[in-house]
Amino acid sequence: MTTEQNTDAAQEGKLYRFLLKVEKVGNALPQPALMFLALCLFVIIFSALATAFDMQAVHPVTKEVIKPVNLMSAAGLSSILTDMIKNFTGFAPLGTVLVAMLGFSLAEKSGLLGTVLRSILVKSPRALIIPAVLLAGIMSHTAGDVGYVLLIPLSAMAFHSVGLHPLAGLAICFAGVSGGFSANFIISALDPLLSGLSQEAARIIDPQYSVTPLVNWYFMSVSSILIIAVGTIVAKKITLPFLGEYKGDAERSEPAPLSALEKRGLLWAGIVAFVLIVAILIGTVPESGFLRNPTNGSLLDSPFLKGIIAIIFFFAALTGLVYGWGAKTFRSQNDVTNAMQESMATMAPYLVMVFFAAQFIALFSISNMGLIMAVHGSDFLKSMNLSAVPLMIGFIILTCVLDIFIGSASAKWALMAPVFVPMFMILGLAPELTQASYRIADSVVNIISPLMPYFPLILAFANKYDPRARVGTLIALMLPYSIAFLISWSILLFIWIGFELPLGPGAHLKYIMP
């Protein structure tokens, strides 16, 4: 063995030892539901200690003294028992996510979303295959697990079929699906989930504050273009040269072309989508549109924004139904109801987590600990005299570190939002900005974290083309994308802050205390 090979082996050994430590720490963490149960107990005990030590703060608006509420007192325990059901059923993300998922379930189970993604790959010429794969990966966020389970192996197959290294196709698609997880041109199920958690956290400071699923839409749409551009550069300059020519034993095969039934289903779904888009434009573009505010014609406080989840539901459900009838993937009414029931069954882990997360956020608010911590935390940050950009840099770095150990976007945001959203609001930063910063950091680490739920599946796909591929192989392929996305995406956010651009409809960067 040469000196260079010895060095490589030593470096690989260090990498694996580090990864084993990361895996050990991550596996030691409890499941999200149990983590929030433990946090509930912590808040209850902490509220009693805070009361005993007379911890308090001055409300930044009313100037009233905020004192902790002892949840271990008779009144506190009574509140825990009587409000438990209300905390769960009134939790903002619960209804919005479930309704959106019911609509997406028909679009996914009918095969519409998978067919759209496959058609992008089949029809893409070799010269455009890299941006096409990245685009398909980004669009797959509306389709749940389809991006991981279907699109990534299809991309590897597509690259192999045109004479490119299949692991390059796998890595590029993985970068689009998971590294650009929050970027999208259209609203996905993630938007109502995160916005609901942001709204619950914002109401610790402002009980009337509203965060709609569209609050990051402008920024995430532009982010999609950024991810495609940066991903294409990394693929051409680093991934393809690094992998070189494929010399493995896997036989070439091409993604199956669309069948006549699938083409008919797409045509029918396209017609329905066109009609729905025209109806939405008629309702929103004219000042007298039926989806605008009937009093002042505004879109900011309108049936369109208030009913965006219902619109998403009908759009996804109707196009999915029509595709299913056209492609004959739905042959009876039982197929339709079964698709929706199967989708709800997959939400069981989410429902369990949400129950305990809802109790944690409610207890955090009732005890006044969230407000007290926000005031003291904001006072400390004020003393450092930091502007929005360095604050967001620190927040993004912290989120990246946590993302290595806590893979769930919703669990992590349910943990972080009640602390950071109110704190930054007191500093004059809107919840929409905090949420956008979180989404950047949550996305870019996914592709290099061995604790990401789909990481073993991606490694299994890689082993089809290279049996020697291991965790370090996949991380080496994905690290350039992770670093490039983190730097470029953060710069885009700082440019957005510098020009004070709205992040979405009615979503500004600054928050002015009432």
Side-chain angles (χ1 to χ4, degrees), residues 67 242 254 332 443 471 491:
K67 295 185 177 183
F242 173 75
E254 297 185 7
S332 69
S443 298
V471 172
I491 291 173

Side-chain angles (χ1 to χ4, degrees), residues 105-162:
S105 67
L106 295 180
E108 179 182 359
K109 298 296 182 181
S110 67
L112 170 61
L113 295 175
T115 302
V116 169
L117 296 174
R118 201 167 94 244
S119 66
I120 293 175
L121 291 182
V122 170
K123 296 179 180 180
S124 299
R126 174 170 173 159
L128 297 177
I129 194 169
I130 293 176
V133 165
L134 288 165
L135 172 62
I138 288 171
M139 298 298 290
S140 73
H141 301 152
T142 59
D145 300 337
V146 169
Y148 293 102
V149 177
L150 173 66
L151 190 60
I152 290 177
L154 276 178
S155 298
M157 186 189 304
F159 268 60
H160 194 198
S161 68
V162 297

